[in-house]
Amino acid sequence: MERRIGWEALNPVVSYANRLACEPGFAFGPRFVRDHQFIYTAEGKGKAEIGGRVYDAGPGDLFYYGPGVPHRFEADDEAPFVLYGLHFAPVGELPATGAVRYELPVDIRRAADLPSHAETQLVLGDAASGFAVPEHIALPPAFAEPFFASAAQYFRMADALHHLRGRALLIRFLTELHERARQARVEQDPAASLLETVRTRLRERAGESYRRDWLSAWTHYHENHAASLFARLYGQSPHEYFLACKLELAKRLLADENLSVLETSERLRFGSVHHFTRLFKRRVGCAPGVYRRMGRMV
């Protein structure tokens, strides 16, 4: 089951974080948790099984699973794991005092212990640009280990200020994970360099009216196929990306070049000032005239 949360609604709470140096052959699971969890392999190697999928785990591997997803980890006999674990709720309230409420994992000893449902995927963002937190991704230690070490330190403090620091840390981590997962998709996709060219040209032509036949001209694919490849790689359609670029250009013109709302609409070929105003307000959060006045404030 998928759980989708808009970036604007993301309000995470770290409920548990620690570092565990495993003994040779140490294992935990099969079990499930009632919250969401990251497991990061800082050192050593072993096996990770999540929802029936088996991974050879080594340094730099990050694993994620949601509530109710069965999982098991087993450390190698000769080079056992050093793991960081972090439990969190994507949306929650911080306690004014004391520890965050936390429920222990549930061991699965027989079929009857299996949960009736599981959240197998956490998706952040809207339908056009959603980011599915990956079940497995490799991360460089210089990026990931300081995050998990700090999260574990803040958790041990168990006061409101450090709970807040843990939340800020996790928000930063999730947004950076989003970008790194996108970069990994780009590197693995054979059409990535071609689609990067499409993104560049869409950005360069943000002052024009959108033309769907650009996609076939720039890629030699059918327009629908090119649009599908673009959406798979970047999480939004070419038209959505083009509109975002056009609105960024509109914000610069309103704030920096002293153009009126009408002049901006006409220069960027929005079709009508009414369409421009509605689109700008829906996506930016205020009317273009208000944004223009704000650009002249300190």
Side-chain angles (χ1 to χ4, degrees):
M1 183 175 67
E2 176 187 294
R3 183 177 183 186
R4 182 179 293 274
I5 299 170
W7 286 111
E8 77 288 348
L10 183 65
N11 201 34
V13 175
V14 176
S15 51
Y16 185 78
N18 75 325
R19 178 182 184 273
L20 175 64
C22 299
E23 297 290 333
F26 174 80
F28 58 88
R31 68 176 199 181
F32 66 89
V33 295
R34 300 184 188 276
D35 49 12
H36 298 253
Q37 185 174 16
F38 285 120
I39 294 284
Y40 180 70
T41 306
E43 299 175 28
K45 60 183 181 178
K47 295 287 185 181
E49 182 175 350
I50 302 173
R53 293 166 292 281
V54 179
Y55 301 90
D56 290 319
D61 284 326
L62 177 72
F63 298 95
Y64 158 79
Y65 39 84
V69 176
H71 56 274
R72 183 177 186 274
F73 285 75
E74 182 175 349
D76 185 75
D77 287 329
E78 297 181 359
F81 286 135
V82 174
L83 301 175
Y84 284 95
L86 185 147
H87 295 249
F88 69 99
V91 179
E93 296 296 326
L94 297 176
T97 59
V100 174
R101 182 174 178 271
Y102 171 68
E103 295 187 57
L104 290 170
V106 178
D107 288 329
I108 300 171
R109 303 185 184 280
R110 57 191 189 283
D113 295 329
L114 288 167
S116 58
H117 67 277
E119 291 186 15
T120 56
Q121 194 170 60
L122 174 62
V123 181
L124 303 174
D126 58 25
S129 58
F131 160 60
V133 177
E135 183 173 273
H136 170 248
I137 188 172
L139 295 176
F143 160 66
E145 191 160 358
F147 160 74
F148 285 101
S150 295
Q153 178 186 1
Y154 293 159
F155 175 76
R156 288 194 297 270
M157 300 298 183
D159 60 45
L161 177 60
H162 287 91
H163 292 326
L164 185 61
R165 286 175 172 167
R167 167 177 283 172
L169 197 67
L170 185 50
I171 290 174
R172 181 178 178 183
F173 181 75
L174 288 168
T175 53
E176 179 66 19
L177 186 62
H178 175 210
E179 178 58 22
R180 288 177 180 269
R182 187 195 69 79
Q183 290 175 356
R185 290 198 306 272
V186 169
E187 292 168 1
Q188 295 167 5
D189 197 311
S193 60
L194 188 60
L195 294 172
E196 276 293 309
T197 300
V198 172
R199 282 221 314 173
T200 299
R201 292 182 175 179
L202 288 172
R203 191 164 56 248
E204 291 171 347
R205 299 200 176 196
E208 304 177 27
S209 300
Y210 182 74
R211 288 174 47 190
R212 190 172 172 82
D213 62 0
W214 285 339
L215 303 178
S216 56
W218 295 340
T219 66
H220 305 296
Y221 294 139
H222 187 277
E223 297 161 12
N224 291 342
H225 183 57
S228 177
L229 290 175
F230 190 99
R232 185 187 69 189
L233 190 61
Y234 298 114
Q236 60 183 159
S237 71
H239 186 242
E240 286 287 327
Y241 178 75
F242 178 80
L243 283 179
C245 294
K246 186 180 280 288
L247 287 171
E248 285 301 311
L249 182 54
K251 289 194 286 187
R252 290 201 299 272
L253 293 176
L254 290 167
D256 301 334
E257 297 199 15
N258 202 32
L259 293 185
S260 69
V261 174
L262 177 60
E263 289 169 332
T264 302
S265 173
E266 290 176 344
R267 178 178 290 193
L268 298 183
R269 304 181 188 180
F270 275 97
S272 76
V273 69
H274 302 293
H275 171 63
F276 170 52
T277 299
R278 286 197 302 271
L279 184 66
F280 192 98
K281 187 173 182 179
R282 184 169 73 247
R283 294 178 179 244
V284 178
C286 65
V290 173
Y291 187 89
R292 183 172 180 269
R293 290 194 295 274
M294 288 168 59
R296 287 153 178 76
M297 295 170 55
V298 293

